[in-house]
Amino acid sequence: MSFLDHLEELRWHIVRSAIAIVVIAIAAFLLVDFVWGVVILGPSKIDFITYQYLCDLAVKLETPALCISELSFEIQSRDMTGQFTMHILTSVVLGFVLAFPYVFWEIWRFVSPGLYPKERNAARGATFFVSLLFLSGVLFGYFIVAPLSINFLGNYKVDAAILNEFDIISYVNTLTMLVLACGLMFQLPIVVYFLAKSGLITDVTMKTYRKHSIVVILIVSAIITPPDVISQLLISFPMMFLYEVGIFVARFVSRKRKEDLA
């Protein structure tokens, strides 16, 4: 295929991906009561499943401090177009999240013909594992990182006289940033797999630079999260765990490479 033919092929993959995102986004836009009342504003309500689970756990462990019984903040819209803009934004984000497996599949369909048969076999199941890790990260971000971060930031006060009244834009941006960041961070084992497959890293290399990785993870977490320690740590710990998982992945790939070369 010529360069222009490749561009034409890529264009149709992008168009089909965009259509999938738009269709789901339109459905999310129309289901405003559920999307906003349950999904988007869920972490801002005391009856959210994460808070309820923590209260149940507090009773079992006899540790009242675990129970989140109050969220002392209000969400307002101070911009005339604020609610409408956030309605569109959240619909598009939800469309992207739900359509992600299909979007990645379309990208893979465009990339895979350019790979050698051995490379395609090595990447078999890529769509499934990438989608699984992304959706797992999104769920982790939504049910763990986001509610705990929102609780910390919403209840934090330097003085009792200062009321926490957040703009809807700030709330939605914080929620989507945390959720999508977790979804992307959970791709670390996949990245390690392909780097190890190409021989760029090994499990020995990752062990050698483990301490350096902790510093990098803390810096990245500080950049992609709101300016609070709780959010940073909630993302840092899973990333450190995934780094350790990556070491096992690299070790497995390195052994397979040695067996193939033997």
Side-chain angles (χ1 to χ4, degrees):
M1 296 175 64
S2 66
F3 178 72
L4 292 178
D5 290 333
H6 278 294
L7 288 181
E8 179 67 14
E9 185 70 16
L10 176 62
R11 183 174 73 91
W12 282 109
H13 286 293
I14 294 175
V15 167
R16 286 191 291 268
S17 300
I19 290 175
I21 294 174
V22 170
V23 168
I24 298 177
I26 291 174
F29 187 88
L30 297 176
L31 296 172
V32 58
D33 292 338
F34 173 77
V35 170
W36 271 86
V38 178
V39 179
I40 304 300
L41 295 178
S44 69
K45 299 177 181 178
I46 202 61
D47 60 351
F48 189 61
I49 186 172
T50 301
Y51 305 139
Q52 294 297 313
Y53 178 78
L54 288 175
C55 287
D56 293 340
L57 187 63
V59 173
K60 294 179 181 178
L61 300 178
E62 298 182 354
T63 310
L66 284 176
C67 184
I68 300 174
S69 58
E70 181 183 7
L71 295 173
S72 56
F73 66 90
E74 293 183 358
I75 300 176
Q76 300 181 355
S77 180
R78 296 182 176 88
D79 192 335
M80 185 171 290
T81 61
Q83 294 197 49
F84 179 70
T85 302
M86 290 301 100
H87 190 184
I88 295 176
L89 174 64
T90 53
S91 299
V92 173
V93 171
L94 195 58
F96 171 76
V97 170
L98 296 180
F100 180 83
Y102 177 78
V103 172
F104 184 82
W105 180 68
E106 284 287 352
I107 295 173
W108 181 247
R109 286 179 60 199
F110 175 75
V111 173
S112 58
L115 303 177
Y116 293 108
K118 187 176 180 179
E119 293 172 333
R120 284 198 294 270
N121 291 332
R124 186 177 298 170
T127 301
F128 172 77
F129 288 108
V130 168
S131 300
L132 178 64
L133 287 172
F134 177 77
L135 295 177
S136 298
V138 166
L139 292 176
F140 178 82
Y142 179 74
F143 287 106
I144 304 297
V145 178
L148 295 182
S149 299
I150 289 171
N151 167 66
F152 173 78
L153 295 172
N155 288 326
Y156 187 85
K157 291 184 178 182
V158 294
D159 191 279
I162 302 176
L163 300 178
N164 283 334
E165 297 177 347
F166 305 125
D167 190 83
I168 185 64
I169 298 176
S170 175
Y171 173 82
V172 170
N173 287 343
T174 300
L175 178 64
T176 54
M177 178 178 62
L178 290 172
V179 171
L180 293 180
C182 287
L184 294 177
M185 291 300 105
F186 269 55
Q187 300 300 315
L188 182 59
I190 296 294
V191 175
V192 170
Y193 174 82
F194 284 107
L195 290 178
K197 201 71 179 177
S198 61
L200 296 176
I201 62 171
T202 63
D203 57 307
V204 177
T205 305
M206 295 186 68
K207 287 180 180 178
T208 303
Y209 292 98
R210 180 184 275 127
K211 294 181 180 179
H212 301 80
S213 71
I214 294 175
V215 176
V216 174
I217 287 172
L218 290 173
I219 293 174
V220 172
S221 300
I223 293 174
I224 65 177
T225 59
D228 70 279
V229 178
I230 301 298
S231 301
Q232 182 182 3
L233 293 178
L234 286 173
I235 287 187
S236 297
F237 289 146
M239 287 178 65
M240 293 176 188
F241 172 76
L242 291 172
Y243 187 87
E244 296 299 321
V245 172
I247 293 177
F248 287 101
V249 172
R251 181 184 304 166
F252 172 78
V253 173
S254 298
R255 287 178 181 174
K256 292 289 291 182
R257 279 174 56 85
K258 291 179 181 178
E259 292 175 0
D260 293 340
L261 294 174

